[in-house]
Amino acid sequence: MNEQGCFHCGLTIAKNEEINFDEKKFCCNGCKTVYEIFSLHDLTCYYDFEKSPGATPQDIQGKYDFLDNETILSKVLEFQEGNTAIVSLNIPHIHCSSCIWILENLNKLQSGINISQVNFPEKKVRITYNSDLVSLKTIVYMLSSIGYEPYISLENYETGKSNVDRTLTYKLGVAFFCFGNIMLLSFPEYFEIKEFWLDNYKPFFRALIFVLSLPSFLYSASGYYVSAYKSIKSKMLNIDIPIALGIIVMFIRSTFDMLMDYGPGFFDSLTGLVFFMLLGKMFQIKTYSFLSFERDFKSYFPIAVTRINADTSEESVPIYDILKGNRLLIRNQELIPVDGILISEKAEIDYSFVTGEAIPITKKSGDKVFAGGKQIGKVIEMEVLHSVSQSYLTQLWSNEIFQKNVQQKHKTITDTISRYFTPILLLIAFVGFGYWIFIDANTAFNVFTAVLIVACPCALALTAPFTFGNILRILGKQKLYLKNALVIEQLAKVDTIVFDKTGTITTHKKANITYDGNIISEEDNILIKNVLRGSNHPLSRMLYDFLPQTTKIKIEDFQEITGKGIQAFVENKQIVIGSASFIEAPISDSSDIETTSLHIKIDGIYYGKFNFKNQYREGLEELFLKLSKTYQIKILSGDNDGERANLEALLPKNTQLIFNQKPEQKLDFIKALQQNGQNVMMVGDGLNDAGALAQSNVGISISENVNVFSPACDAILAASEFSKLDYFLKVSHKSITIIKMSFGLSLLYNIVGLSFAITGNLLPLVAAIIMPLSTITIVSFVTIMTNYLSVRKLK
């Protein structure tokens, strides 16, 4: 630090206010206190990142007293259950690696904070804390004291909207205006038209061109200068350095040419370059904005929820049609889709999807329940407080709990190339300049400028994001919704596919159900139907739909044991429904073992079983035949092997069939495959398969007309598009090929352009035209190729 600057914040210290501590100088007690806090918690390496990363407010005492108000606090918090609270705070001063580092170590600075995650692009930090140990107001003051005062607007929290940053739009508009007008004014110079009026007013037109170039140069391109400056300051050269240097050199060269009357300069190319670069950036941002899980929640929830209408009838509706005031029915293991008020007498809610803690929380009638909780036990009813777009559910996929630690190969390739691209490019430019300066100074200057301008790292950097972004959009239109672009890379690596049976390769909709056993009275049928009403298992849903409509009865006790069955008490009768082993059913012959069945026991008396003749999804045989040529196919099922003969006749010979698998056994099976070096894709219904979906390299949850959604999955596939699975996998492979082709095309552009530039055969004007042209070419190539994939039948 400079001797007159504060060690913590970097501000100039007035002589009469200097505070000396630990052989360092501070401007105030606040900065000294923060340094003491960092020292005490062994966090002084904070200062190794940047010398003054935060802006410490001078006086904030009393500013956040409104956070003591419980009503206001409930609007600010995203989640509050027991002593666990979660809040997302907008921190405008997040701008560098030191900011991220310190904000993700808040738990070391303040007791009570459990975890803090930074969303750098949105400049937000998401904090999970213990409200018994620390208040939000204390956290906000602590953040302010270390230079990261949050921006809290109650209007934004109430409306569910956030401020939109339109800076890039303004910059793009200014660049387009300058580019268009300069091009028009440059036409006489292009065609060297000799006309008295034009010749006499040439200086005026050139001056006008110069003035019009200034907004584009100073304002529109400012982001590249700032990025280049920060890159140099942090001693890590990024790809914005040659762009910024090229723009500056082109501006200086053009100004020099104009002043010396050598020509009109290259202001048209300069403004065109800035416009096309910003256009590419805008296209990229718009692509990801469109694909954002939170903003496009309708696409990512092809699932439905049960709404209770005014006439007490139950209706399955799309999740985004749910409105405030609606009454919802939530079954066992269903995710609560929206914030609401519990109407039922009592409920057990598992918030592990939100907090990571798997201890169920008991809620009573009138209590608030938050989106993202999983209902455990008997069916409950709730009233909706907010629509799904305002609830916590839409953020579940981005929860750190469900992120998989996988290598981002193509991001790594891009970063590696970018790391070496800039220094090599600068070296070539200076070597070329040094060689030509002794031969021809004008050529030397042309070579230096042309080399910096013609090399287009932008096209190289945009290759993977544009390809993946377009693939995400295309797959989304065909009802395969991916968590992020990284899933595409993982899909391309898959060599083994594991399918769940019930609810995945079989459909919930169609099943031929027969009853075998003692006659069940109408009264007992009503009890069975009401017990089934609370279950989400595919067989339970099919049997529930199969049984005739009945009156609704209150269930006193409900317990569903995963992979086994249900036991409940209704009107003082014990109802047990499930597998033969679960209810200890008598086995009369071998066919009992070989049939998919739900057995019924009432008050300890065995009545019989409902047999299911599974209906497999359309196109299953053809799909598996295609997949078996490239992948190892395995079927895991929690059912008995009664369907083995049917499956063996339907599926390719090398398909491995494994039955009687509990959820934990499915997970262990996936893990064993991975330990053998296999890249595994798990396809399940998201109910009993959550562990296996999370363990697999890629987990795809099949979504039918039920509210079963596992945040641990990497993709949601609409059940109607199941037969397209082979196509989706081929698209992922082809997208990697497109990226490689784009890399090659981009490098070819640079090699050819540089070879012409270094030999002095490429004018800066031509170089400036080629540079944005290369970006447009790459983007166009990627767009055309990816869209071609969406309409072409892949072989």
Side-chain angles (χ1 to χ4, degrees), residues 78 88-91 94 103 117-126 162:
E78 289 180 349
S88 282
L89 297 173
N90 186 9
I91 312 284
I94 297 177
L103 290 172
Q117 298 167 263
V118 173
N119 184 331
F120 186 73
E122 294 185 12
K123 295 188 180 296
K124 285 185 177 181
V125 60
R126 182 169 168 270
S162 56

Side-chain angles (χ1 to χ4, degrees), residues 8 33-47 98-116 127 133-134 138-139 141-148:
H8 176 68
T33 303
V34 175
Y35 172 76
E36 286 183 273
I37 293 171
F38 287 168
S39 299
L40 185 64
H41 295 89
D42 196 26
L43 295 176
T44 51
C45 50
Y46 168 70
Y47 298 102
S98 63
C99 302
I100 297 172
W101 184 84
I102 195 63
L103 290 172
E104 291 195 340
N105 280 280
L106 292 179
N107 60 316
K108 295 182 180 179
L109 299 179
Q110 178 67 58
S111 60
I113 294 179
N114 299 324
I115 189 169
S116 51
I127 301 171
L133 300 178
V134 64
T138 302
I139 292 171
Y141 278 126
M142 184 272 292
L143 284 168
S144 301
S145 72
I146 62 172
Y148 297 100

Side-chain angles (χ1 to χ4, degrees), residues 743-755:
F743 272 141
L745 190 60
S746 180
L747 288 171
L748 183 64
Y749 250 111
N750 287 310
I751 292 168
V752 173
L754 284 171
S755 62

Side-chain angles (χ1 to χ4, degrees), residues 44-114:
T44 51
C45 50
Y46 168 70
Y47 298 102
D48 296 338
F49 290 96
E50 193 172 333
K51 298 304 179 185
S52 53
T56 306
Q58 298 302 312
D59 183 19
I60 60 166
Q61 206 60 38
K63 184 176 178 179
Y64 295 102
D65 285 350
F66 64 84
L67 292 176
D68 289 329
N69 186 311
E70 288 296 326
T71 305
I72 295 175
L73 189 65
S74 66
K75 293 178 180 178
V76 176
L77 293 176
E78 289 180 349
F79 178 87
Q80 186 176 29
E81 191 58 67
N83 59 9
T84 301
I86 299 175
V87 66
S88 282
L89 297 173
N90 186 9
I91 312 284
H93 292 294
I94 297 177
H95 72 283
C96 65
S97 57
S98 63
C99 302
I100 297 172
W101 184 84
I102 195 63
L103 290 172
E104 291 195 340
N105 280 280
L106 292 179
N107 60 316
K108 295 182 180 179
L109 299 179
Q110 178 67 58
S111 60
I113 294 179
N114 299 324

